Amino acid sequence: MLHDEVISRLRHILTEGEIAPGAKIPERELCASLGISRTPLREALKVLAAEGLVVLLPNRGSRAAKLTQKDVKELFEVCEALEATAGELACPRISDEQLREIGVLQVSMVEHYRARDLLSYYRCNRLIHESIVRAADNAVLAGFYESVSARIRRARFITPMSPEHWALAVQEHEGILNALQRRDASGLAHILRTHLRRKREEVVQAGFAEARHY
């Protein structure tokens, strides 16, 4: 398995919560499942440590990084700015086909909301946000976005919501689609910023971030 592929597989395992935040990285099991030796695994872990997904422990292996409240604040601030910029760029650049696809995702997301299927709702939600970044057609922005969003993906798209917050999130997404359809760059940027700020508060309140590092 190539170095980049090992990194990609490990990144997926960590961001999707297959290894819980704060848990020790099971190196022996990962080597067996990935079909690699300890050396390439540890080289990949060093890269993921630089990305903030792993904490290396001297002579004691490594752990999946656990976000602090400061981490959440800073990551969401950057993600907020990136998504707002993506929205501004996407409005004049998005194709009719991309708009149609986001509209289809919006319909599916609302159906999952009505069925109270939070996991499926979040899958559609995430695809909508990623589609807007893709529609911005800016590789540099997309690269930064993937790096930042990877660190908060599990918390952002698994956080439980009260009925009131959930209804408000759906309403905000209707506004996001409407602004895209109208090509309203400043309006979309404003809605995305508000949407991300509210999500940051939900993540902290739900206990996905601790006061300080372990």
Side-chain angles (χ1 to χ4, degrees), residues 140-153:
V140 175
L141 187 151
F144 280 121
Y145 178 76
E146 173 57 28
S147 176
V148 172
S149 64
R151 292 188 61 190
I152 53 175
R153 185 173 295 147

Side-chain angles (χ1 to χ4, degrees), residues 6 27-28 30-32 34-43:
V6 174
E27 293 189 11
R28 184 176 301 173
L30 285 173
C31 287
L34 296 174
I36 58 175
S37 66
R38 285 286 179 92
T39 299
L41 177 71
R42 288 177 174 171
E43 288 302 313

Side-chain angles (χ1 to χ4, degrees), residues 51-167:
E51 293 181 8
L53 291 172
V54 169
V55 175
L56 301 177
L57 306 171
N59 304 315
R60 291 185 292 128
S62 57
R63 293 186 182 275
K66 187 171 184 179
L67 295 174
T68 66
Q69 291 178 11
K70 184 173 184 292
D71 292 331
V72 169
K73 177 178 180 292
E74 293 177 349
L75 287 165
F76 267 95
E77 283 176 347
V78 175
C79 196
E80 176 188 316
L82 290 171
E83 287 207 24
T85 301
E88 289 178 335
L89 293 174
C91 280
R93 299 177 182 179
I94 194 168
S95 68
D96 291 341
E97 177 62 19
Q98 287 174 316
L99 263 177
R100 188 193 68 78
E101 290 173 357
I102 291 175
V104 170
L105 286 170
Q106 173 76 10
V107 170
S108 295
M109 191 183 75
V110 171
E111 289 175 353
H112 295 314
Y113 162 69
R114 289 173 178 160
R116 292 299 187 265
D117 183 350
L118 185 60
L119 185 58
S120 296
Y121 167 88
Y122 268 139
R123 287 197 187 104
C124 285
N125 187 306
R126 174 179 162 184
L127 288 172
I128 289 171
H129 284 275
E130 290 176 348
S131 295
I132 293 172
V133 172
R134 205 157 41 246
D137 195 24
N138 185 304
V140 175
L141 187 151
F144 280 121
Y145 178 76
E146 173 57 28
S147 176
V148 172
S149 64
R151 292 188 61 190
I152 53 175
R153 185 173 295 147
R154 182 172 181 270
R156 179 179 175 184
F157 294 109
I158 296 182
T159 307
M161 289 189 285
S162 68
E164 295 78 15
H165 282 186
W166 200 354

Side-chain angles (χ1 to χ4, degrees), residues 80 172 189-199:
E80 176 188 316
E172 287 173 344
H190 174 74
I191 295 171
L192 286 167
R193 285 185 180 277
T194 302
H195 189 64
L196 267 291
R197 285 171 189 166
R198 198 182 317 280
K199 176 52 63 176

